[in-house]
PDB file of all heavy atoms in Angstrom:
ATOM      1  N   THR A   2     -25.783 -23.274   0.930  1.00 38.00           N
ATOM      2  CA  THR A   2     -25.750 -23.460  -0.504  1.00 38.00           C
ATOM      3  C   THR A   2     -26.351 -22.253  -1.186  1.00 38.00           C
ATOM      4  O   THR A   2     -27.331 -21.757  -0.845  1.00 38.00           O
ATOM      5  CB  THR A   2     -26.547 -24.678  -0.943  1.00 38.00           C
ATOM      6  OG1 THR A   2     -27.863 -24.572  -0.433  1.00 38.00           O
ATOM      7  CG2 THR A   2     -25.964 -26.004  -0.450  1.00 38.00           C
ATOM      8  N   THR A   3     -25.451 -21.684  -2.041  1.00 39.00           N
ATOM      9  CA  THR A   3     -25.895 -20.566  -2.707  1.00 39.00           C
ATOM     10  C   THR A   3     -26.348 -20.859  -4.094  1.00 39.00           C
ATOM     11  O   THR A   3     -27.154 -20.120  -4.681  1.00 39.00           O
ATOM     12  CB  THR A   3     -24.671 -19.496  -2.769  1.00 39.00           C
ATOM     13  OG1 THR A   3     -24.102 -19.460  -1.560  1.00 39.00           O
ATOM     14  CG2 THR A   3     -25.219 -18.099  -3.219  1.00 39.00           C
ATOM     15  N   PRO A   5     -27.580 -23.444  -7.098  1.00 41.00           N
ATOM     16  CA  PRO A   5     -28.549 -24.678  -7.105  1.00 41.00           C
ATOM     17  C   PRO A   5     -27.703 -25.908  -7.257  1.00 41.00           C
ATOM     18  O   PRO A   5     -26.764 -25.962  -7.848  1.00 41.00           O
ATOM     19  CB  PRO A   5     -29.280 -24.403  -8.445  1.00 41.00           C
ATOM     20  CG  PRO A   5     -28.513 -23.323  -9.174  1.00 41.00           C
ATOM     21  CD  PRO A   5     -27.705 -22.566  -8.211  1.00 41.00           C
ATOM     22  N   ARG A   9     -26.013 -32.796 -12.857  1.00 36.00           N
ATOM     23  CA  ARG A   9     -25.613 -32.304 -14.194  1.00 36.00           C
ATOM     24  C   ARG A   9     -25.606 -33.432 -15.223  1.00 36.00           C
ATOM     25  O   ARG A   9     -25.315 -33.167 -16.391  1.00 36.00           O
ATOM     26  CB  ARG A   9     -24.340 -31.561 -14.000  1.00 36.00           C
ATOM     27  CG  ARG A   9     -23.093 -32.451 -13.453  1.00 36.00           C
ATOM     28  CD  ARG A   9     -21.827 -31.797 -13.749  1.00 36.00           C
ATOM     29  NE  ARG A   9     -21.287 -31.105 -12.575  1.00 36.00           N
ATOM     30  CZ  ARG A   9     -20.313 -31.652 -11.728  1.00 36.00           C
ATOM     31  NH1 ARG A   9     -19.772 -32.788 -12.089  1.00 36.00           N
ATOM     32  NH2 ARG A   9     -19.814 -30.980 -10.837  1.00 36.00           N
ATOM     33  N   VAL A  16     -23.391 -24.519 -21.305  1.00 34.00           N
ATOM     34  CA  VAL A  16     -23.807 -23.107 -21.637  1.00 34.00           C
ATOM     35  C   VAL A  16     -23.159 -22.696 -22.907  1.00 34.00           C
ATOM     36  O   VAL A  16     -21.833 -22.975 -23.111  1.00 34.00           O
ATOM     37  CB  VAL A  16     -23.347 -22.202 -20.454  1.00 34.00           C
ATOM     38  CG1 VAL A  16     -23.560 -20.758 -20.950  1.00 34.00           C
ATOM     39  CG2 VAL A  16     -24.209 -22.509 -19.274  1.00 34.00           C
ATOM     40  N   VAL A  35     -35.961   6.045 -22.732  1.00 34.00           N
ATOM     41  CA  VAL A  35     -37.161   7.007 -22.787  1.00 34.00           C
ATOM     42  C   VAL A  35     -36.817   8.330 -23.127  1.00 34.00           C
ATOM     43  O   VAL A  35     -37.593   9.118 -23.356  1.00 34.00           O
ATOM     44  CB  VAL A  35     -37.894   6.922 -21.366  1.00 34.00           C
ATOM     45  CG1 VAL A  35     -38.519   5.610 -21.136  1.00 34.00           C
ATOM     46  CG2 VAL A  35     -36.941   7.267 -20.276  1.00 34.00           C
ATOM     47  N   TYR A 221       2.199  15.386 -21.398  1.00 96.00           N
ATOM     48  CA  TYR A 221       2.570  14.180 -22.053  1.00 96.00           C
ATOM     49  C   TYR A 221       2.808  13.029 -21.144  1.00 96.00           C
ATOM     50  O   TYR A 221       2.359  11.954 -21.264  1.00 96.00           O
ATOM     51  CB  TYR A 221       3.792  14.440 -22.945  1.00 96.00           C
ATOM     52  CG  TYR A 221       4.388  13.243 -23.667  1.00 96.00           C
ATOM     53  CD1 TYR A 221       3.746  12.719 -24.837  1.00 96.00           C
ATOM     54  CD2 TYR A 221       5.553  12.699 -23.202  1.00 96.00           C
ATOM     55  CE1 TYR A 221       4.276  11.598 -25.391  1.00 96.00           C
ATOM     56  CE2 TYR A 221       6.051  11.571 -23.755  1.00 96.00           C
ATOM     57  CZ  TYR A 221       5.386  11.028 -24.892  1.00 96.00           C
ATOM     58  OH  TYR A 221       5.969   9.905 -25.481  1.00 96.00           O
ATOM     59  N   ARG A 230      -0.233   6.786 -16.678  1.00 93.00           N
ATOM     60  CA  ARG A 230      -1.362   5.915 -16.366  1.00 93.00           C
ATOM     61  C   ARG A 230      -1.208   5.248 -14.960  1.00 93.00           C
ATOM     62  O   ARG A 230      -2.155   5.063 -14.242  1.00 93.00           O
ATOM     63  CB  ARG A 230      -1.547   4.933 -17.483  1.00 93.00           C
ATOM     64  CG  ARG A 230      -2.746   4.042 -17.323  1.00 93.00           C
ATOM     65  CD  ARG A 230      -4.004   4.747 -17.435  1.00 93.00           C
ATOM     66  NE  ARG A 230      -4.306   5.322 -18.775  1.00 93.00           N
ATOM     67  CZ  ARG A 230      -4.782   4.567 -19.818  1.00 93.00           C
ATOM     68  NH1 ARG A 230      -4.918   3.312 -19.582  1.00 93.00           N
ATOM     69  NH2 ARG A 230      -4.996   5.163 -20.920  1.00 93.00           N
ATOM     70  N   GLN A 363     -26.347   6.478  -7.720  1.00 37.00           N
ATOM     71  CA  GLN A 363     -27.640   5.782  -7.594  1.00 37.00           C
ATOM     72  C   GLN A 363     -27.963   4.905  -8.723  1.00 37.00           C
ATOM     73  O   GLN A 363     -29.143   4.454  -8.848  1.00 37.00           O
ATOM     74  CB  GLN A 363     -28.720   6.811  -7.323  1.00 37.00           C
ATOM     75  CG  GLN A 363     -28.515   7.835  -6.290  1.00 37.00           C
ATOM     76  CD  GLN A 363     -28.326   7.106  -4.973  1.00 37.00           C
ATOM     77  OE1 GLN A 363     -28.677   6.020  -4.717  1.00 37.00           O
ATOM     78  NE2 GLN A 363     -27.755   7.828  -3.868  1.00 37.00           N
ATOM     79  N   GLU A 366     -28.521  -0.634  -9.041  1.00 36.00           N
ATOM     80  CA  GLU A 366     -27.689  -1.671  -8.395  1.00 36.00           C
ATOM     81  C   GLU A 366     -26.201  -1.280  -8.277  1.00 36.00           C
ATOM     82  O   GLU A 366     -25.469  -2.137  -8.373  1.00 36.00           O
ATOM     83  CB  GLU A 366     -27.826  -2.987  -9.272  1.00 36.00           C
ATOM     84  CG  GLU A 366     -29.249  -3.354  -9.598  1.00 36.00           C
ATOM     85  CD  GLU A 366     -30.016  -3.958  -8.489  1.00 36.00           C
ATOM     86  OE1 GLU A 366     -29.414  -4.868  -7.816  1.00 36.00           O
ATOM     87  OE2 GLU A 366     -31.176  -3.547  -8.137  1.00 36.00           O
ATOM     88  N   HIS A 369     -23.425  -2.267  -5.082  1.00 38.00           N
ATOM     89  CA  HIS A 369     -23.625  -3.577  -4.563  1.00 38.00           C
ATOM     90  C   HIS A 369     -24.863  -4.332  -5.353  1.00 38.00           C
ATOM     91  O   HIS A 369     -25.056  -3.826  -6.449  1.00 38.00           O
ATOM     92  CB  HIS A 369     -23.984  -3.532  -3.025  1.00 38.00           C
ATOM     93  CG  HIS A 369     -25.125  -2.549  -2.671  1.00 38.00           C
ATOM     94  ND1 HIS A 369     -26.306  -2.968  -2.575  1.00 38.00           N
ATOM     95  CD2 HIS A 369     -25.001  -1.247  -2.344  1.00 38.00           C
ATOM     96  CE1 HIS A 369     -27.005  -1.860  -2.194  1.00 38.00           C
ATOM     97  NE2 HIS A 369     -26.287  -0.884  -2.150  1.00 38.00           N
ATOM     98  N   ALA A 370     -25.492  -5.157  -4.770  1.00 32.00           N
ATOM     99  CA  ALA A 370     -26.594  -5.965  -5.392  1.00 32.00           C
ATOM    100  C   ALA A 370     -25.940  -7.223  -5.861  1.00 32.00           C
ATOM    101  O   ALA A 370     -24.856  -7.385  -6.174  1.00 32.00           O
ATOM    102  CB  ALA A 370     -27.258  -5.261  -6.560  1.00 32.00           C
TER     103      ALA A 370
ATOM    104  N   TYR B  24     -32.917   6.053 -15.241  1.00 74.00           N
ATOM    105  CA  TYR B  24     -31.612   6.734 -15.108  1.00 74.00           C
ATOM    106  C   TYR B  24     -31.054   6.973 -16.539  1.00 74.00           C
ATOM    107  O   TYR B  24     -30.860   5.982 -17.334  1.00 74.00           O
ATOM    108  CB  TYR B  24     -30.624   5.748 -14.326  1.00 74.00           C
ATOM    109  CG  TYR B  24     -30.959   5.553 -12.882  1.00 74.00           C
ATOM    110  CD1 TYR B  24     -31.394   4.358 -12.465  1.00 74.00           C
ATOM    111  CD2 TYR B  24     -30.634   6.483 -11.948  1.00 74.00           C
ATOM    112  CE1 TYR B  24     -31.672   4.094 -11.062  1.00 74.00           C
ATOM    113  CE2 TYR B  24     -30.889   6.374 -10.637  1.00 74.00           C
ATOM    114  CZ  TYR B  24     -31.336   5.080 -10.217  1.00 74.00           C
ATOM    115  OH  TYR B  24     -31.581   4.828  -8.958  1.00 74.00           O
ATOM    116  N   GLY B  26     -32.256   7.861 -18.959  1.00 67.00           N
ATOM    117  CA  GLY B  26     -33.192   7.298 -19.997  1.00 67.00           C
ATOM    118  C   GLY B  26     -33.303   5.749 -20.089  1.00 67.00           C
ATOM    119  O   GLY B  26     -34.024   5.258 -20.859  1.00 67.00           O
ATOM    120  N   LYS B  53     -33.723  -4.298  -7.772  1.00 83.00           N
ATOM    121  CA  LYS B  53     -34.022  -4.368  -6.275  1.00 83.00           C
ATOM    122  C   LYS B  53     -33.467  -3.160  -5.514  1.00 83.00           C
ATOM    123  O   LYS B  53     -34.263  -2.589  -4.750  1.00 83.00           O
ATOM    124  CB  LYS B  53     -33.371  -5.594  -5.706  1.00 83.00           C
ATOM    125  CG  LYS B  53     -33.199  -6.774  -6.462  1.00 83.00           C
ATOM    126  CD  LYS B  53     -32.690  -7.915  -5.630  1.00 83.00           C
ATOM    127  CE  LYS B  53     -31.115  -7.857  -5.373  1.00 83.00           C
ATOM    128  NZ  LYS B  53     -30.374  -7.970  -6.610  1.00 83.00           N
ATOM    129  N   SER B  54     -32.248  -2.831  -5.798  1.00 80.00           N
ATOM    130  CA  SER B  54     -31.645  -1.801  -5.002  1.00 80.00           C
ATOM    131  C   SER B  54     -32.326  -0.454  -5.248  1.00 80.00           C
ATOM    132  O   SER B  54     -32.548   0.340  -4.404  1.00 80.00           O
ATOM    133  CB  SER B  54     -30.129  -1.720  -5.274  1.00 80.00           C
ATOM    134  OG  SER B  54     -29.524  -2.856  -4.777  1.00 80.00           O
ATOM    135  N   GLN B  99     -26.287  -3.192   3.343  1.00 69.00           N
ATOM    136  CA  GLN B  99     -25.428  -4.291   3.253  1.00 69.00           C
ATOM    137  C   GLN B  99     -24.160  -4.151   4.090  1.00 69.00           C
ATOM    138  O   GLN B  99     -23.738  -5.028   4.800  1.00 69.00           O
ATOM    139  CB  GLN B  99     -24.928  -4.366   1.742  1.00 69.00           C
ATOM    140  CG  GLN B  99     -24.332  -5.616   1.330  1.00 69.00           C
ATOM    141  CD  GLN B  99     -24.129  -5.569  -0.214  1.00 69.00           C
ATOM    142  OE1 GLN B  99     -24.134  -4.540  -0.781  1.00 69.00           O
ATOM    143  NE2 GLN B  99     -23.697  -6.680  -0.751  1.00 69.00           N
ATOM    144  N   HIS B 217     -29.124 -12.450  -2.212  1.00 71.00           N
ATOM    145  CA  HIS B 217     -28.798 -13.244  -3.357  1.00 71.00           C
ATOM    146  C   HIS B 217     -28.800 -14.743  -3.021  1.00 71.00           C
ATOM    147  O   HIS B 217     -28.697 -15.590  -3.884  1.00 71.00           O
ATOM    148  CB  HIS B 217     -27.308 -12.906  -3.763  1.00 71.00           C
ATOM    149  CG  HIS B 217     -27.313 -11.760  -4.699  1.00 71.00           C
ATOM    150  ND1 HIS B 217     -26.226 -10.853  -4.770  1.00 71.00           N
ATOM    151  CD2 HIS B 217     -28.114 -11.255  -5.585  1.00 71.00           C
ATOM    152  CE1 HIS B 217     -26.362  -9.909  -5.636  1.00 71.00           C
ATOM    153  NE2 HIS B 217     -27.546 -10.166  -6.154  1.00 71.00           N
ATOM    154  N   ASP B 220     -30.952 -20.132  -0.664  1.00 78.00           N
ATOM    155  CA  ASP B 220     -31.398 -21.070   0.353  1.00 78.00           C
ATOM    156  C   ASP B 220     -31.821 -20.296   1.679  1.00 78.00           C
ATOM    157  O   ASP B 220     -32.795 -20.740   2.387  1.00 78.00           O
ATOM    158  CB  ASP B 220     -30.191 -22.060   0.805  1.00 78.00           C
ATOM    159  CG  ASP B 220     -28.941 -21.268   1.082  1.00 78.00           C
ATOM    160  OD1 ASP B 220     -28.870 -20.104   0.613  1.00 78.00           O
ATOM    161  OD2 ASP B 220     -28.058 -21.708   1.827  1.00 78.00           O
ATOM    162  N   LEU B 260     -32.598 -24.163 -14.716  1.00 48.00           N
ATOM    163  CA  LEU B 260     -31.444 -24.238 -13.868  1.00 48.00           C
ATOM    164  C   LEU B 260     -30.349 -25.177 -14.429  1.00 48.00           C
ATOM    165  O   LEU B 260     -29.173 -24.846 -14.289  1.00 48.00           O
ATOM    166  CB  LEU B 260     -31.991 -24.800 -12.550  1.00 48.00           C
ATOM    167  CG  LEU B 260     -30.915 -25.366 -11.546  1.00 48.00           C
ATOM    168  CD1 LEU B 260     -30.247 -24.145 -10.859  1.00 48.00           C
ATOM    169  CD2 LEU B 260     -31.657 -26.133 -10.506  1.00 48.00           C
ATOM    170  N   ARG B 262     -28.945 -25.545 -16.977  1.00 47.00           N
ATOM    171  CA  ARG B 262     -28.068 -24.925 -17.967  1.00 47.00           C
ATOM    172  C   ARG B 262     -27.176 -23.862 -17.351  1.00 47.00           C
ATOM    173  O   ARG B 262     -26.412 -23.211 -18.026  1.00 47.00           O
ATOM    174  CB  ARG B 262     -28.743 -24.395 -19.118  1.00 47.00           C
ATOM    175  CG  ARG B 262     -29.508 -25.497 -19.905  1.00 47.00           C
ATOM    176  CD  ARG B 262     -30.317 -24.963 -21.076  1.00 47.00           C
ATOM    177  NE  ARG B 262     -29.514 -23.994 -21.949  1.00 47.00           N
ATOM    178  CZ  ARG B 262     -30.010 -23.256 -22.913  1.00 47.00           C
ATOM    179  NH1 ARG B 262     -31.315 -23.349 -23.136  1.00 47.00           N
ATOM    180  NH2 ARG B 262     -29.244 -22.561 -23.526  1.00 47.00           N
ATOM    181  N   LEU B 382       6.839   6.462 -28.623  1.00 88.00           N
ATOM    182  CA  LEU B 382       6.575   7.649 -27.843  1.00 88.00           C
ATOM    183  C   LEU B 382       5.188   8.124 -27.899  1.00 88.00           C
ATOM    184  O   LEU B 382       4.861   9.205 -27.502  1.00 88.00           O
ATOM    185  CB  LEU B 382       7.578   8.791 -28.208  1.00 88.00           C
ATOM    186  CG  LEU B 382       9.081   8.428 -27.935  1.00 88.00           C
ATOM    187  CD1 LEU B 382       9.901   9.700 -28.411  1.00 88.00           C
ATOM    188  CD2 LEU B 382       9.253   8.217 -26.529  1.00 88.00           C
ATOM    189  N   GLU B 389      -6.454   1.096 -27.580  1.00 89.00           N
ATOM    190  CA  GLU B 389      -6.972   0.675 -26.197  1.00 89.00           C
ATOM    191  C   GLU B 389      -8.397   0.701 -26.231  1.00 89.00           C
ATOM    192  O   GLU B 389      -9.080  -0.280 -25.700  1.00 89.00           O
ATOM    193  CB  GLU B 389      -6.364   1.742 -25.248  1.00 89.00           C
ATOM    194  CG  GLU B 389      -6.627   1.213 -23.772  1.00 89.00           C
ATOM    195  CD  GLU B 389      -6.386   2.321 -22.782  1.00 89.00           C
ATOM    196  OE1 GLU B 389      -6.150   3.480 -23.214  1.00 89.00           O
ATOM    197  OE2 GLU B 389      -6.315   2.077 -21.623  1.00 89.00           O
ATOM    198  N   ARG B 449     -22.923 -15.065 -12.247  1.00 86.00           N
ATOM    199  CA  ARG B 449     -22.051 -16.074 -11.732  1.00 86.00           C
ATOM    200  C   ARG B 449     -21.891 -17.155 -12.776  1.00 86.00           C
ATOM    201  O   ARG B 449     -20.768 -17.555 -13.062  1.00 86.00           O
ATOM    202  CB  ARG B 449     -22.797 -16.692 -10.553  1.00 86.00           C
ATOM    203  CG  ARG B 449     -21.954 -16.786  -9.332  1.00 86.00           C
ATOM    204  CD  ARG B 449     -22.820 -17.375  -8.163  1.00 86.00           C
ATOM    205  NE  ARG B 449     -23.148 -16.272  -7.316  1.00 86.00           N
ATOM    206  CZ  ARG B 449     -23.551 -16.419  -5.991  1.00 86.00           C
ATOM    207  NH1 ARG B 449     -23.831 -17.714  -5.685  1.00 86.00           N
ATOM    208  NH2 ARG B 449     -23.803 -15.394  -5.255  1.00 86.00           N
ATOM    209  N   ALA B 477     -18.294 -27.463  -6.397  1.00 84.00           N
ATOM    210  CA  ALA B 477     -18.494 -28.758  -6.955  1.00 84.00           C
ATOM    211  C   ALA B 477     -18.948 -28.616  -8.397  1.00 84.00           C
ATOM    212  O   ALA B 477     -18.518 -29.421  -9.154  1.00 84.00           O
ATOM    213  CB  ALA B 477     -19.623 -29.412  -6.147  1.00 84.00           C
TER     214      ALA B 477
END
Side-chain angles (χ1 to χ4, degrees):
Chain A
T2 51
T3 312
R9 57 165 105 102
V16 167
V35 292
Y221 174 76
R230 182 65 69 79
Q363 308 298 346
E366 312 282 312
H369 53 92
Chain B
Y24 290 104
K53 326 185 279 296
S54 293
Q99 196 173 12
H217 275 150
D220 54 335
L260 164 77
R262 294 177 52 188
L382 296 178
E389 189 191 14
R449 233 175 252 196

